[in-house]
Amino acid sequence: MIVDCAIYRDGHRSGGPEDLSDALGEARAAGGFVWIGLHEPSEQEFGHVTQEFGLHPLAVEDALKAHQRPKLEVYEDSLFVVLKPVVYDAEHDTVSTGELMIFLGDGFAVTVRHGEGAPLGTVRQRLEKEPELLGEGPTSVLYAIADACVDHYLDVATELGNDLEELEAEVFSPDNGGSRNTASKIYNFKRQILEFRRATVPLVPPLTKLAGHGTFGVAVPFVNDRARPFFRDVHDHLTRVNESVEGLDRLVSDILSAHLAQMSVRQNDDMRKISAWAAMAAVPTMIAGIYGMNFDHMPELHWVWSYPAVIAVMAALEVLLFRLFKRRGWL
């Protein structure tokens, strides 16, 4: 459905058009642009927008089906950009992603949002308070959305860093380090990192082009050249995010290795203790087995002090073995 539709002239909102068919004509006649925001539109709803603004059918198909990687594509009459905003659920410590598709053209900006993440209402309100920036045309819409999306990446990266510190403390805790749920928590956290990286890493090439580097360093169609410094700032923030996420990924891998090493050491300790107790139990078992064979010619059987002597030998050997294993750290 269409969430908002407005015409902007000289950096100020002049209200929404009465008819979508006349929106683009009105905006171009006034030297401004029209910004239409849609949320999970149906094929029929988006078909009218496609017809009026001449959007490329391949880009329209991507916008309707979603499940796209962040990318930038240049068509004859428009520029198509895909962003993946990230949502962090503090209650369940999970990361989820939505999708934002942005069409830029001569005198128009069309945004298509999928999922609950990154509502564009706040971006539009913030942008309307900066008429100088909004006066740069549809490029300002792309910049504002990309800047808000990447800034939120920084917040999510900070939250994930806090979660990693808690997980690290749990792993190296002497009480909970061997918990059965620890490994599953580590794997789950690594999945959240992977989900986050799917949104941030593919966004580097598009922002590199918009910032004036790479193949499209000379000019990106439908993007104001004066906006390059702003996109360079967004690119720098994204670089910080990717470096932070890469560091988190390495740390969680190291924590998993440390946890597995701890589990292996504790299992070895348990096996040594079991072996020590088994060795201590084997001594009296062996002696008792010898004297339980019931042979007729065993001289110790008719000796008066046989029983207390055997018990004393058993006790002495047990004490000796206990002290030996204790000294070596097996018990």
Side-chain angles (χ1 to χ4, degrees), residues 149-204:
C149 187
V150 173
D151 284 347
H152 190 60
Y153 287 165
L154 290 170
D155 297 335
V156 174
T158 301
E159 294 292 342
L160 289 175
N162 295 333
D163 290 345
L164 183 60
E165 290 179 0
E166 295 177 1
L167 185 59
E168 187 177 14
E170 179 179 342
V171 168
F172 292 102
S173 170
D175 298 327
N176 300 323
S179 173
R180 295 181 178 179
N181 296 327
T182 303
S184 63
K185 289 181 180 179
I186 296 175
Y187 277 112
N188 181 64
F189 188 84
K190 198 167 183 64
R191 288 179 63 89
Q192 308 311 314
I193 295 294
L194 178 61
E195 184 72 15
F196 195 17
R197 295 190 68 174
R198 286 174 180 169
T200 61
V201 174
L203 186 57
V204 173

Side-chain angles (χ1 to χ4, degrees), residues 1-2 20 36-53 55-57 59-65 80 101 103 110-112 114:
M1 64 177 180
I2 297 179
L20 185 60
I36 299 177
L38 301 99
H39 179 235
E40 297 183 356
S42 65
E43 185 174 354
Q44 182 178 3
E45 291 172 337
F46 201 50
H48 185 43
V49 177
T50 302
Q51 183 179 1
E52 294 300 327
F53 293 95
L55 305 180
H56 196 279
V60 171
E61 181 181 359
D62 290 344
L64 287 173
K65 293 184 177 180
F80 180 59
M101 286 78 171
F103 294 87
V110 177
T111 56
V112 181
H114 290 269

Side-chain angles (χ1 to χ4, degrees), residues 7 26 35 80 114 118 149 159-160 166 174 192 242 259 287 294 326 328:
I7 295 176
E26 292 180 20
W35 180 3
F80 180 59
H114 290 269
C149 187
E159 294 292 342
L160 289 175
E166 295 177 1
Q192 308 311 314
N242 283 327
H259 173 67
I287 295 175
N294 296 323
K326 192 72 173 179
R328 294 187 176 182

Side-chain angles (χ1 to χ4, degrees), residues 87-99:
V87 178
Y88 176 78
D89 186 353
E91 183 177 354
H92 300 94
D93 296 333
T94 56
V95 172
S96 59
T97 58
E99 288 192 41

